[in-house]
Amino acid sequence: MDPKQLFADQRHAAFCVFCGDAPTTREHAASKVLLDDPLPDDLPVVFSCSECNNGFAIDEEYLACLLDCVISGTTVPDKVGRKKVADSLRHSSGLAARIAASCKTNESGRLIWEPEAERVRNVVVKLARGHVAHQYSEPQLDDPTNVFIAPFEVLTDEQREHFETPPDSSGWPEIGSRAFINLIVGGDKVYDIESGWSILQRDRYRYLVAQPGEIVVRIVLSEYLACEIVW
């Protein structure tokens, strides 16, 4: 057995990493709607059932659109930053209206957005499950013990530093997992050894997976939204 060769994935080919049912397809661990075209060459892919493959699409589109509307300060398609979001807002007037209705102006004239928290959480936990299965070959089907989601702008300097620093793992990743190969030979093209983060698409999507006794997944979306999921 060559520890530098990836083989752990095949153990989990018998079930969907999101729900545990029999897999019928594969799913990108990082939702394509959260990424810009052209897509990265090496998108993480995990085993999935058709229901999970399709069942998150509406919430994923909502989160992608919400993020870009918040960052751009508008729901007007021609004024948002991402083409995919502009296309979604033009195609779905209901989605655009729903996001626009969640935006209020406070007394100082600042825009205050009230996201649909459960939909955001649904997508973030799904992303985290995909990354754990892909990196550690340890799918997590139980509910997380903690889910933290917040814009960077509300974090203190200390909180930001803590978030950006990868936790120290309590031991070695499983031999044959991507996490082990990254640690030994840096086999993942998107893995940045210096920062400890996997940069899937610069300024759009990065993540890390660590195991300091518990399993910790951190995800940054559009360099705006910080997410931490713990099992």
Side-chain angles (χ1 to χ4, degrees):
M1 181 174 67
D2 184 352
K4 295 181 181 179
Q5 295 298 315
L6 178 68
F7 61 84
D9 279 357
Q10 297 308 312
R11 240 194 5 247
H12 306 113
F15 57 88
C16 169
V17 303
F18 303 111
C19 71
D21 284 351
T24 54
T25 184
R26 295 190 179 197
E27 168 75 330
H28 293 100
S31 310
K32 291 188 290 184
V33 72
L34 296 171
L35 302 167
D36 292 329
D37 293 326
L39 296 171
D41 293 332
D42 297 324
L43 281 180
V45 176
V46 293
F47 293 100
S48 171
C49 66
S50 297
E51 184 174 352
C52 287
N53 184 269
N54 299 316
F56 292 94
I58 294 177
D59 287 349
E60 289 169 337
E61 183 182 37
Y62 166 78
L63 177 56
C65 290
L66 173 68
L67 272 176
D68 207 43
C69 288
V70 171
I71 293 169
S72 303
T74 181
T75 58
V76 178
D78 292 339
K79 295 183 178 181
V80 297
R82 299 186 59 216
K83 182 181 183 302
K84 283 185 180 180
V85 170
D87 290 345
S88 289
L89 295 174
R90 291 190 188 98
H91 181 261
S92 177
S93 58
L95 174 61
R98 191 172 187 128
I99 294 175
S102 72
C103 180
K104 312 295 180 185
T105 304
N106 66 11
E107 294 179 354
S108 63
R110 182 179 180 182
L111 297 180
I112 304 298
W113 302 81
E114 299 178 356
E116 297 178 42
E118 191 57 33
R119 299 183 73 181
V120 174
R121 185 186 188 279
N122 187 38
V123 175
V124 167
V125 172
K126 180 255 188 179
L127 297 174
R129 284 196 170 105
H131 290 311
V132 172
H134 185 259
Q135 286 292 321
Y136 273 86
S137 300
E138 294 183 14
Q140 300 298 307
L141 301 178
D142 294 335
D143 288 336
T145 56
N146 186 60
V147 177
F148 170 83
I149 305 170
F152 273 139
E153 63 184 19
V154 306
L155 302 185
T156 65
D157 291 343
E158 292 78 10
Q159 289 172 328
R160 177 67 183 265
E161 182 178 3
H162 171 78
F163 181 86
E164 295 284 2
T165 304
D168 291 328
S169 293
S170 58
W172 290 79
E174 181 182 8
I175 292 176
S177 68
R178 284 181 180 81
F180 180 87
I181 294 173
N182 287 340
L183 185 64
I184 299 301
V185 296
D188 194 331
K189 293 180 181 179
V190 301
Y191 181 68
D192 182 66
I193 295 177
E194 290 187 8
S195 69
W197 286 78
S198 291
I199 304 171
L200 198 55
Q201 191 171 69
R202 194 166 297 279
D203 298 326
R204 191 63 62 211
Y205 195 113
R206 59 187 171 100
Y207 67 95
L208 68 79
V209 185
Q211 202 167 12
E214 59 215 348
I215 293 178
V216 177
V217 184
R218 292 178 186 164
I219 302 169
V220 177
L221 301 178
S222 294
E223 290 303 318
Y224 176 84
L225 195 66
C227 313
E228 181 180 79
I229 307 89
V230 179
W231 279 276

mmCIF file of all heavy atoms in Angstrom, residues 16 18 24-28 46 48-57 60 126:
data_model
loop_
_atom_site.group_PDB
_atom_site.id
_atom_site.type_symbol
_atom_site.label_atom_id
_atom_site.label_comp_id
_atom_site.label_asym_id
_atom_site.label_seq_id
_atom_site.Cartn_x
_atom_site.Cartn_y
_atom_site.Cartn_z
ATOM 1 N N CYS A 16 -24.560 8.221 -0.325
ATOM 2 C CA CYS A 16 -24.522 9.667 -0.525
ATOM 3 C C CYS A 16 -23.893 10.317 0.704
ATOM 4 O O CYS A 16 -24.313 10.047 1.834
ATOM 5 C CB CYS A 16 -25.938 10.184 -0.739
ATOM 6 S SG CYS A 16 -26.110 11.993 -0.697
ATOM 7 N N PHE A 18 -24.207 13.217 1.760
ATOM 8 C CA PHE A 18 -25.056 14.238 2.363
ATOM 9 C C PHE A 18 -26.194 13.658 3.203
ATOM 10 O O PHE A 18 -26.618 14.262 4.182
ATOM 11 C CB PHE A 18 -25.647 15.143 1.278
ATOM 12 C CG PHE A 18 -24.610 15.805 0.422
ATOM 13 C CD1 PHE A 18 -24.455 15.448 -0.905
ATOM 14 C CD2 PHE A 18 -23.769 16.773 0.951
ATOM 15 C CE1 PHE A 18 -23.494 16.052 -1.699
ATOM 16 C CE2 PHE A 18 -22.801 17.383 0.165
ATOM 17 C CZ PHE A 18 -22.659 17.019 -1.162
ATOM 18 N N THR A 24 -26.492 7.869 -6.689
ATOM 19 C CA THR A 24 -26.850 7.659 -8.090
ATOM 20 C C THR A 24 -26.067 8.598 -9.000
ATOM 21 O O THR A 24 -26.157 8.486 -10.220
ATOM 22 C CB THR A 24 -28.355 7.896 -8.301
ATOM 23 O OG1 THR A 24 -28.704 9.196 -7.787
ATOM 24 C CG2 THR A 24 -29.179 6.843 -7.574
ATOM 25 N N THR A 25 -25.308 9.508 -8.411
ATOM 26 C CA THR A 25 -24.558 10.479 -9.200
ATOM 27 C C THR A 25 -23.433 11.042 -8.339
ATOM 28 O O THR A 25 -23.148 10.527 -7.260
ATOM 29 C CB THR A 25 -25.498 11.609 -9.684
ATOM 30 O OG1 THR A 25 -24.767 12.507 -10.525
ATOM 31 C CG2 THR A 25 -26.078 12.372 -8.509
ATOM 32 N N ARG A 26 -22.819 12.079 -8.840
ATOM 33 C CA ARG A 26 -21.807 12.795 -8.066
ATOM 34 C C ARG A 26 -22.173 14.266 -8.006
ATOM 35 O O ARG A 26 -22.860 14.785 -8.880
ATOM 36 C CB ARG A 26 -20.416 12.610 -8.678
ATOM 37 C CG ARG A 26 -19.925 11.166 -8.623
ATOM 38 C CD ARG A 26 -18.469 11.071 -9.009
ATOM 39 N NE ARG A 26 -17.988 9.698 -8.924
ATOM 40 C CZ ARG A 26 -16.704 9.376 -8.894
ATOM 41 N NH1 ARG A 26 -15.784 10.318 -8.934
ATOM 42 N NH2 ARG A 26 -16.331 8.118 -8.817
ATOM 43 N N GLU A 27 -21.682 14.927 -6.977
ATOM 44 C CA GLU A 27 -22.022 16.321 -6.738
ATOM 45 C C GLU A 27 -20.748 17.096 -6.453
ATOM 46 O O GLU A 27 -19.831 16.595 -5.800
ATOM 47 C CB GLU A 27 -22.992 16.424 -5.548
ATOM 48 C CG GLU A 27 -23.209 17.823 -4.990
ATOM 49 C CD GLU A 27 -24.084 18.696 -5.863
ATOM 50 O OE1 GLU A 27 -24.081 18.510 -7.085
ATOM 51 O OE2 GLU A 27 -24.761 19.576 -5.319
ATOM 52 N N HIS A 28 -20.684 18.320 -6.941
ATOM 53 C CA HIS A 28 -19.557 19.178 -6.617
ATOM 54 C C HIS A 28 -19.660 19.626 -5.165
ATOM 55 O O HIS A 28 -20.699 20.121 -4.726
ATOM 56 C CB HIS A 28 -19.518 20.393 -7.537
ATOM 57 C CG HIS A 28 -19.219 20.046 -8.961
ATOM 58 N ND1 HIS A 28 -20.195 19.947 -9.922
ATOM 59 C CD2 HIS A 28 -18.040 19.748 -9.579
ATOM 60 C CE1 HIS A 28 -19.642 19.619 -11.076
ATOM 61 N NE2 HIS A 28 -18.338 19.485 -10.891
ATOM 62 N N VAL A 46 -17.968 14.579 -4.912
ATOM 63 C CA VAL A 46 -18.271 13.525 -3.948
ATOM 64 C C VAL A 46 -19.489 12.738 -4.422
ATOM 65 O O VAL A 46 -20.241 13.188 -5.287
ATOM 66 C CB VAL A 46 -18.536 14.115 -2.541
ATOM 67 C CG1 VAL A 46 -17.270 14.726 -1.968
ATOM 68 C CG2 VAL A 46 -19.664 15.151 -2.577
ATOM 69 N N SER A 48 -23.191 11.258 -4.391
ATOM 70 C CA SER A 48 -24.452 11.874 -3.971
ATOM 71 C C SER A 48 -25.626 11.111 -4.566
ATOM 72 O O SER A 48 -25.502 10.428 -5.588
ATOM 73 C CB SER A 48 -24.487 13.337 -4.445
ATOM 74 O OG SER A 48 -25.749 13.926 -4.244
ATOM 75 N N CYS A 49 -26.771 11.249 -3.923
ATOM 76 C CA CYS A 49 -28.015 10.754 -4.515
ATOM 77 C C CYS A 49 -28.615 11.877 -5.365
ATOM 78 O O CYS A 49 -28.253 13.049 -5.221
ATOM 79 C CB CYS A 49 -28.998 10.302 -3.445
ATOM 80 S SG CYS A 49 -29.628 11.626 -2.382
ATOM 81 N N SER A 50 -29.535 11.532 -6.238
ATOM 82 C CA SER A 50 -30.136 12.531 -7.122
ATOM 83 C C SER A 50 -30.914 13.582 -6.339
ATOM 84 O O SER A 50 -30.921 14.766 -6.692
ATOM 85 C CB SER A 50 -31.058 11.849 -8.138
ATOM 86 O OG SER A 50 -30.325 10.985 -8.983
ATOM 87 N N GLU A 51 -31.574 13.150 -5.253
ATOM 88 C CA GLU A 51 -32.362 14.096 -4.469
ATOM 89 C C GLU A 51 -31.476 15.181 -3.864
ATOM 90 O O GLU A 51 -31.814 16.366 -3.905
ATOM 91 C CB GLU A 51 -33.124 13.363 -3.366
ATOM 92 C CG GLU A 51 -34.048 14.268 -2.573
ATOM 93 C CD GLU A 51 -34.903 13.513 -1.590
ATOM 94 O OE1 GLU A 51 -34.899 12.263 -1.622
ATOM 95 O OE2 GLU A 51 -35.593 14.171 -0.777
ATOM 96 N N CYS A 52 -30.346 14.783 -3.306
ATOM 97 C CA CYS A 52 -29.433 15.783 -2.731
ATOM 98 C C CYS A 52 -28.753 16.591 -3.826
ATOM 99 O O CYS A 52 -28.513 17.790 -3.662
ATOM 100 C CB CYS A 52 -28.385 15.096 -1.856
ATOM 101 S SG CYS A 52 -29.038 14.484 -0.283
ATOM 102 N N ASN A 53 -28.456 15.944 -4.948
ATOM 103 C CA ASN A 53 -27.806 16.635 -6.054
ATOM 104 C C ASN A 53 -28.658 17.798 -6.547
ATOM 105 O O ASN A 53 -28.132 18.859 -6.917
ATOM 106 C CB ASN A 53 -27.539 15.650 -7.190
ATOM 107 C CG ASN A 53 -26.787 16.284 -8.340
ATOM 108 O OD1 ASN A 53 -27.399 16.805 -9.271
ATOM 109 N ND2 ASN A 53 -25.476 16.242 -8.281
ATOM 110 N N ASN A 54 -29.973 17.592 -6.548
ATOM 111 C CA ASN A 54 -30.887 18.625 -7.050
ATOM 112 C C ASN A 54 -31.562 19.428 -5.943
ATOM 113 O O ASN A 54 -32.005 20.558 -6.171
ATOM 114 C CB ASN A 54 -31.973 17.978 -7.919
ATOM 115 C CG ASN A 54 -31.401 17.266 -9.131
ATOM 116 O OD1 ASN A 54 -30.524 17.787 -9.813
ATOM 117 N ND2 ASN A 54 -31.892 16.063 -9.409
ATOM 118 N N GLY A 55 -31.620 18.846 -4.739
ATOM 119 C CA GLY A 55 -32.449 19.435 -3.694
ATOM 120 C C GLY A 55 -31.927 20.710 -3.080
ATOM 121 O O GLY A 55 -32.694 21.457 -2.447
ATOM 122 N N PHE A 56 -30.634 20.995 -3.239
ATOM 123 C CA PHE A 56 -30.060 22.199 -2.651
ATOM 124 C C PHE A 56 -30.005 23.370 -3.631
ATOM 125 O O PHE A 56 -29.623 24.474 -3.244
ATOM 126 C CB PHE A 56 -28.638 21.912 -2.146
ATOM 127 C CG PHE A 56 -28.575 20.989 -0.966
ATOM 128 C CD1 PHE A 56 -28.385 19.625 -1.144
ATOM 129 C CD2 PHE A 56 -28.704 21.467 0.326
ATOM 130 C CE1 PHE A 56 -28.315 18.768 -0.053
ATOM 131 C CE2 PHE A 56 -28.645 20.626 1.421
ATOM 132 C CZ PHE A 56 -28.445 19.270 1.227
ATOM 133 N N ALA A 57 -30.362 23.124 -4.885
ATOM 134 C CA ALA A 57 -30.125 24.107 -5.940
ATOM 135 C C ALA A 57 -30.804 25.451 -5.669
ATOM 136 O O ALA A 57 -30.204 26.515 -5.877
ATOM 137 C CB ALA A 57 -30.578 23.550 -7.284
ATOM 138 N N GLU A 60 -28.997 27.229 -2.878
ATOM 139 C CA GLU A 60 -27.669 27.648 -3.329
ATOM 140 C C GLU A 60 -27.764 28.897 -4.195
ATOM 141 O O GLU A 60 -26.954 29.835 -4.063
ATOM 142 C CB GLU A 60 -27.002 26.505 -4.099
ATOM 143 C CG GLU A 60 -26.578 25.344 -3.207
ATOM 144 C CD GLU A 60 -26.168 24.114 -3.982
ATOM 145 O OE1 GLU A 60 -26.595 23.954 -5.142
ATOM 146 O OE2 GLU A 60 -25.414 23.300 -3.424
ATOM 147 N N LYS A 126 -24.258 21.828 3.970
ATOM 148 C CA LYS A 126 -24.081 20.937 2.817
ATOM 149 C C LYS A 126 -22.677 21.062 2.244
ATOM 150 O O LYS A 126 -22.009 20.056 1.944
ATOM 151 C CB LYS A 126 -25.129 21.264 1.761
ATOM 152 C CG LYS A 126 -25.047 20.383 0.507
ATOM 153 C CD LYS A 126 -24.456 21.119 -0.670
ATOM 154 C CE LYS A 126 -24.560 20.302 -1.944
ATOM 155 N NZ LYS A 126 -24.006 21.017 -3.117
#
